[in-house]
Amino acid sequence: MTDTTEQQPQRPHTDDPDYAANLRRATLASSVGSALEYFDFALYGLSSALIFNVLFFSDLDPAMGVVAAFASFGVGFAARPLGGLFFGTIGDRLGRKWVLVVTILLMGGATTLIGALPTYDQIGIWAPILLTVLRLAQGFGAGAEQAGATVLMAEYSPVKRRGFFSSLPFIGIQLGTLMAALVFSFLSSLPEDVFLGWAWRVPFLLSFVLILVALFIRMRLKETPTFVVLEKQDQITHRPVRDIFTKGLAGVTVGIGLRMAENGGSYMFQNLALAFVAGSFLANPVDRGVATWGVTVGSLIGMATIPLTGHLSDRYGRRAVYRFGAVFMLVFAFPAWWLLSTGIPAVVIAVIAIGIGVAVNTMLGPQCAMLPELFGNRHRYLGVAMAREISAVLAGGLAGVVGAYLLATAGGDWLLPAIYMATLALITTASTFLVPETQGRDLLRLDDAVRVSTGERGDAEHPAETAAERDAVRA
């Protein structure tokens, strides 16, 4: 009789020094990548709201220049699902680590080059064309960056505290947003000819430093324990795309719904709200430097609310905490946009800060563990990438363009963006009733939590589909 103990994969324990060191390294690697991604995107979003219409779309009238600037911002979102599909497939076939190395290079490199671009006054139509190309490259790399960080941390985290540990790297999101807001606030306080002349380029060029730091950390990172199990048991799928659009389709669809309010609301509060209060939509616009303080304060609040709500999801379940955030945004949408229309600086700062720090981040905290828990081990990376990035197009990518268009055509009426935000919140609230509770789900499982093959919602006790999958779960 053979001893099968050594054939079974051993789960890591938090008191194992090697595991603890890798958990810290994974947290740091994910945090730096998240900081870089959201530094890039917050920086581009702030620039779209406040200066890109002048620098790259100066041939248009001011209102339509803002729409065009947000359109270039939205183009990057269109590339994200393609990047998620491409890199997500590689991540499920070859592993998580090396994908995260490549994506940080592509994303950060494109951001750095934006800082070297000539403006419309210098090269004419080629300026917005080159800006759009670099934005596409930035989006293509980002399409798998955040999904990779999400999967990496969920697969490394201890099961009972997965919500808390998975949320920690997403403090990097707030740090990146905070850095962008602080840098932009300082630069926008400079004389306008200096700011629009060369100073706006500085934060884009500084992305290169973050790339070097992230690369150093990620090159020392080990592969995640769950992917190692797949390799040892020779269970890596060679057709993750086919799997995700058959077995994983329900999980992707629900994941998209969960992200609509979180992602769309984030970009509406960070970018569209700034364009609304500091642009030509109000009779007495707020100073752009003052308005960005709302993003700064919201990011500081998020550094507390993200790990707090991740921890609460470990105690009370992912769905309950997530639903609270979606309902809060639904209730907050109309008073928020009415208050923004008053143009009172202190009120504007408070509204944007609460929108980002509480409404958005109360959903982001439990989401960090919830999305990876929706998918089986064979196609988890691709599943999370597709859910995140398709929703990024439908929610975040369209938020600026649609919102700016609604404001432009309605003469700056606050009611239309409020209705738009409330609609996103309703979609997410409804989605929380379609997903099973995933708290504590075994990430070695090969079946999804939401099962398209039977039309039934799965749960942590749902049996695996095949004998091979049952063996993997028992292992």
Side-chain angles (χ1 to χ4, degrees):
M1 183 175 180
T2 59
D3 183 5
T4 59
T5 302
E6 293 183 358
Q7 298 173 7
Q8 296 178 352
Q10 300 298 311
R11 295 175 183 276
H13 299 282
T14 53
D15 56 356
D16 178 356
D18 187 54
Y19 168 68
N22 277 303
L23 178 61
R24 289 193 299 269
R25 195 173 292 126
T27 304
L28 186 58
S30 301
S31 298
V32 173
S34 297
L36 176 58
E37 178 182 354
Y38 277 79
F39 178 77
D40 291 351
F41 277 91
L43 193 61
Y44 197 105
L46 289 168
S47 299
S48 298
L50 301 175
I51 63 169
F52 275 177
N53 61 316
V54 176
L55 295 173
F56 293 95
F57 303 96
S58 56
D59 58 325
L60 302 174
D61 68 77
M64 293 311 296
V66 172
V67 174
F70 273 118
S72 72
F73 184 57
V75 161
F77 287 92
R80 290 179 69 148
L82 298 176
L85 184 66
F86 178 77
F87 289 115
T89 302
I90 297 174
D92 280 325
R93 294 183 64 180
L94 302 180
R96 324 307 193 196
K97 171 184 174 179
W98 292 109
V99 172
L100 289 173
V101 171
V102 175
T103 55
I104 202 76
L105 282 171
L106 180 58
M107 185 180 63
T111 302
T112 303
L113 289 175
I114 288 174
L117 280 179
T119 64
Y120 188 91
D121 290 341
Q122 294 171 315
I123 60 170
I125 192 63
W126 282 105
I129 290 175
L130 291 174
L131 178 68
T132 303
V133 169
L134 289 177
R135 176 63 178 155
L136 284 168
Q138 189 187 57
F140 192 77
E145 167 63 31
Q146 203 61 57
T150 302
V151 170
L152 183 78
M153 279 311 302
E155 292 183 342
Y156 259 114
S157 299
V159 176
K160 292 184 179 180
R161 303 193 66 196
R162 185 184 293 149
F164 172 73
F165 275 97
S166 294
S167 70
L168 291 181
F170 290 81
I171 296 175
I173 291 177
Q174 308 310 307
L175 181 60
T177 304
L178 177 63
M179 288 191 301
L182 286 174
V183 170
F184 213 85
S185 294
F186 170 73
L187 293 177
S188 62
S189 67
L190 297 174
E192 187 161 326
D193 60 330
V194 175
F195 179 47
L196 297 179
W198 60 267
W200 70 271
R201 301 179 184 275
V202 174
F204 288 95
L205 296 173
L206 285 177
S207 294
F208 185 71
V209 178
L210 284 176
I211 297 173
L212 294 179
V213 174
L215 275 178
F216 174 76
I217 298 170
R218 290 184 176 184
M219 291 297 290
R220 302 175 62 219
L221 188 65
K222 291 184 179 180
E223 192 52 79
T224 68
T226 56
F227 189 81
V228 170
V229 170
L230 280 181
E231 289 183 315
K232 286 182 177 180
Q233 296 187 339
D234 195 24
Q235 293 176 329
I236 296 175
T237 179
H238 297 290
R239 293 182 291 271
V241 175
R242 185 199 65 177
D243 289 350
I244 204 63
F245 287 108
T246 53
K247 296 180 181 179
L249 186 59
V252 171
T253 304
V254 172
I256 290 171
L258 290 171
R259 288 258 299 159
M260 294 300 285
E262 176 267 321
N263 192 251
S266 175
Y267 286 102
M268 289 187 74
F269 279 121
Q270 286 186 40
N271 305 321
L272 184 64
L274 265 64
F276 177 52
V277 301
S280 58
F281 297 110
L282 298 183
N284 297 305
V286 178
D287 180 79
R288 61 191 174 201
V290 172
T292 55
W293 274 104
V295 180
T296 303
V297 176
S299 300
L300 287 171
I301 295 172
M303 290 183 181
T305 53
I306 288 177
L308 173 63
T309 53
H311 167 69
L312 291 175
S313 76
D314 284 329
R315 294 193 62 184
Y316 303 108
R318 316 284 188 230
R319 289 189 304 177
V321 180
Y322 210 115
R323 190 175 298 154
F324 174 83
V327 172
F328 182 90
M329 181 175 287
L330 176 62
V331 174
F332 187 59
F334 289 95
W337 283 92
W338 173 74
L339 289 169
L340 288 173
S341 72
T342 64
I344 302 172
V347 172
V348 167
I349 292 172
V351 168
I352 294 175
I354 293 171
I356 295 171
V358 180
V360 171
N361 288 322
T362 299
M363 291 178 277
L364 184 59
Q367 182 194 112
C368 303
M370 192 174 190
L371 285 185
E373 289 169 339
L374 288 178
F375 299 98
N377 201 15
R378 278 200 184 108
H379 53 247
R380 179 171 296 121
Y381 199 136
L382 184 57
V384 173
M386 289 294 93
R388 285 188 58 87
E389 304 314 330
I390 294 174
S391 63
V393 175
L394 298 177
L398 291 178
V401 179
V402 173
Y405 178 77
L406 290 174
L407 287 171
T409 55
D413 188 353
W414 64 268
L415 185 59
L416 293 180
I419 293 173
Y420 183 37
M421 178 174 284
T423 301
L424 296 176
L426 275 173
I427 293 171
T428 294
T429 301
S431 298
T432 63
F433 290 95
L434 299 177
V435 64
E437 180 54 65
T438 61
Q439 177 190 1
R441 195 170 196 270
D442 188 349
L443 295 187
L444 290 180
R445 296 184 61 140
L446 304 183
D447 60 321
D448 289 355
V450 184
R451 297 163 58 83
V452 72
S453 58
T454 61
E456 298 175 354
R457 284 181 290 168
D459 55 47
E461 288 76 38
H462 194 95
E465 294 179 345
T466 66
E469 293 186 10
R470 287 194 295 271
D471 292 341
V473 172
R474 284 196 296 270

